[in-house]
Amino acid sequence: MTEILQAMKERRATKRFDASYKIPEDELRAILEAAKSAPTAFNVQHWRFVVVQDAEQRAKIRAAAWNQPQVEESAALIVLCADFKAWKRDTSRYWAGVPKEMQDKYVGMIQHFYDGNEQLQRDEGIRSCGMAAYAIMLAAAAHGLQTCPMDGFDFKKVGEIINLPEDHEIVMFVAIGKGSEPPPPHGARLPYDEVVLRDRFA
Ligand SMILES: Cc1cc2nc3c(=O)[nH]c(=O)nc-3n(C[C@H](O)[C@H](O)[C@H](O)COP(=O)(O)O)c2cc1C
């Protein structure tokens, strides 16, 4: 528990990575497997993680990301994408392995909850990827690696570069690697009493 809290407190958005560091495939897989255990509403798991390591792809993405070095210097650039129609794609597999009655109940609830509500379908995908992004950051920390969450890029251009399918949207990047210099000074966090409210807004 203490280690989790320490990782949360010590995590920083890392701007420069050691470009010579290669992440072992099993380590990258362990990080993404851990992220996959993050929660999603009705267990729909809207996330798709595009792992970009190809040099040509990374150069193109960097050009679409204000030339930010993290895109090329990190060991893996994860493009988190949400499938807004995940709720209706072979829905029963989200509840595979549970008693049939329970599976049918959940499949019915999922249809009822999302059908016809485009805003909710989209919001849910964004929520799921937000969960996954932070999970990736903490799992990477557990492997002694640093990360940078990113949305400073042209979403449309990056979508074209990664061949984003219809009904999917890019939510953000998480760059993973070995930090090569200390992060710049930390921005101020808002006071506790401004962000924590009791029972209702005043
Ligand atoms: C959704 C999101 C998008 C971000 N985009 C970028 C980015 O494009 N480039 C960058 O250097 N940092 C980016 N950041 C990092 C933030 O600037 C950073 O998390 C914030 O200043 C707090 O600093 P800390 O993460 O070191 O605590 C992003 C963070 C989040 C959560």
Side-chain angles (χ1 to χ4, degrees):
M1 185 59 74
T2 317
E3 282 176 17
I4 294 175
L5 292 177
Q6 197 176 335
M8 290 171 75
K9 284 185 181 150
E10 288 177 359
R11 183 214 53 80
R12 294 294 319 278
T14 298
K15 314 286 177 175
R16 302 306 300 252
F17 292 94
D18 172 0
S20 69
Y21 172 71
K22 306 275 179 248
I23 187 168
E25 186 57 31
D26 60 342
E27 209 160 307
L28 179 59
R29 184 173 179 123
I31 291 167
L32 297 177
E33 288 276 8
K36 227 160 62 61
S37 67
T40 54
F42 294 110
N43 199 36
V44 168
Q45 305 161 71
H46 311 79
W47 47 56
R48 299 293 177 266
F49 308 136
V50 181
V51 178
V52 186
Q53 291 179 303
D54 176 73
E56 219 173 287
Q57 281 291 82
R58 294 229 263 182
K60 283 189 207 160
I61 294 175
R62 181 172 178 169
W66 304 335
N67 197 33
Q68 295 194 73
Q70 304 94 311
V71 172
E72 285 192 298
E73 291 177 354
S74 59
L77 181 75
I78 315 300
V79 182
L80 287 93
C81 307
D83 176 0
F84 297 154
K85 298 296 176 194
W87 63 276
K88 64 172 180 183
R89 282 191 225 285
D90 197 2
T91 315
S92 57
R93 71 204 161 110
Y94 306 133
W95 290 92
V98 303
K100 177 87 173 76
E101 199 178 307
M102 187 181 176
Q103 185 186 47
D104 291 346
K105 187 176 132 202
Y106 271 94
V107 169
M109 283 196 298
I110 290 169
Q111 301 309 314
H112 183 70
F113 196 63
Y114 295 108
D115 201 8
N117 193 339
E118 301 269 327
Q119 172 81 45
L120 181 60
Q121 293 168 20
R122 184 177 184 283
D123 290 350
E124 211 75 288
I126 307 287
R127 276 190 271 276
S128 296
C129 284
M131 291 276 174
Y134 194 48
I136 291 172
M137 290 181 244
L138 292 184
H143 286 266
L145 296 171
Q146 287 73 47
T147 52
C148 189
M150 300 176 71
D151 68 2
F153 54 87
D154 183 324
F155 283 70
K156 191 166 180 292
K157 276 192 191 144
V158 176
E160 286 162 11
I161 295 165
I162 65 165
N163 197 24
L164 189 71
E166 212 182 317
D167 297 325
H168 290 59
E169 207 168 289
I170 296 174
V171 176
M172 61 190 291
F173 299 165
V174 177
I176 306 173
K178 282 255 185 247
S180 60
E181 59 182 52
H186 205 293
R189 291 290 197 243
L190 294 174
Y192 183 85
D193 289 337
E194 188 177 338
V195 296
V196 180
L197 299 114
R198 298 290 166 150
D199 301 319
R200 60 181 63 82
F201 281 88

